[in-house]
């Protein structure tokens, strides 16, 4: 039986972009039996709705499996790759470079050293 569709589900186009960024299963281990697209859909549902892991709808893979992938991918930097890739594609569609060329920061959002009036200077700005 097909599961219910949720507004947070990945489109086929989004999945085509993200699927290659998911780390492969460990060699020599048991082959994965869970659909990685469904794992992503469950994680996005959790992130968008703010529900607790144990409150995921029952038609997603088991919550322990979903959380395990979420936690593992967080440690491996997979979420950063997702955001970097998708952000670059959006910038490209807008006719911009895939990498930002400037950074703006104010004293409210940048940690300063302990001396009053001294602000951290960002020097790694690409031109």
């Amino acid at each position: 039986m097909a599961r219910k569709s949720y507004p947070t589900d990945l489109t086929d186009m989004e999945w085509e972009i993200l699927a290659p960024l998911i780390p492969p299963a460990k060699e020599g281990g048991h082959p994965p039996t869970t659909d990685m697209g469904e794992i992503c859909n469950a994680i996005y549902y959790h992130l968008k709705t703010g529900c607790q892991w144990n409150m995921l709808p029952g038609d997603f893979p088991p919550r322990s499996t979903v959380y395990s992938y979420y936690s593992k991918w967080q440690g491996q930097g997979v979420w950063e790759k997702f955001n970097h890739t998708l952000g670059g594609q959006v910038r490209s569609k807008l006719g911009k470079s895939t990498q930002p060329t400037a950074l703006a920061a104010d004293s409210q959002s940048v940690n300063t050293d302990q001396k009053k009036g001294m602000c951290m200077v960002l020097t790694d700005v690409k031109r």
Side-chain angles (χ1 to χ4, degrees):
M1 184 169 110
R3 80 163 174 80
K4 177 183 172 182
S5 175
Y6 295 98
T8 55
D9 285 353
L10 294 168
T11 65
D12 290 340
M13 186 182 299
E14 290 168 333
W15 179 239
E16 275 185 43
I17 295 166
L18 298 180
L21 302 175
I22 294 176
K26 290 182 184 176
E27 288 186 34
H30 191 288
T33 56
T34 305
D35 179 353
M36 292 298 111
E38 285 300 293
I39 294 291
C40 288
N41 285 334
I43 291 170
Y44 285 127
Y45 180 91
H46 163 76
L47 294 173
K48 184 67 176 178
T49 64
C51 75
Q52 297 172 345
W53 288 108
N54 65 351
M55 301 288 284
L56 281 175
D59 49 358
F60 283 125
R63 64 180 173 254
S64 60
T65 303
V66 175
Y67 179 76
S68 175
Y69 277 103
Y70 172 79
S71 179
K72 180 171 46 171
W73 291 348
Q74 188 173 29
Q76 294 174 340
V78 174
W79 299 115
E80 289 177 46
K81 288 182 203 172
F82 280 9
N83 287 332
H84 180 75
T85 300
L86 293 175
Q89 289 200 357
V90 168
R91 290 183 59 80
S92 181
K93 284 189 179 196
L94 294 172
K96 299 179 178 184
S97 167
T98 57
Q99 296 294 317
T101 56
L103 173 68
D106 63 27
S107 63
Q108 296 296 312
S109 59
V110 175
N111 288 332
T112 60
D113 67 7
Q114 300 301 327
K115 298 177 186 174
K116 280 191 171 183
M118 294 293 289
C119 180
M120 180 176 77
V121 177
L122 301 174
T123 58
D124 190 25
V125 176
K126 296 179 183 178
R127 297 191 193 265

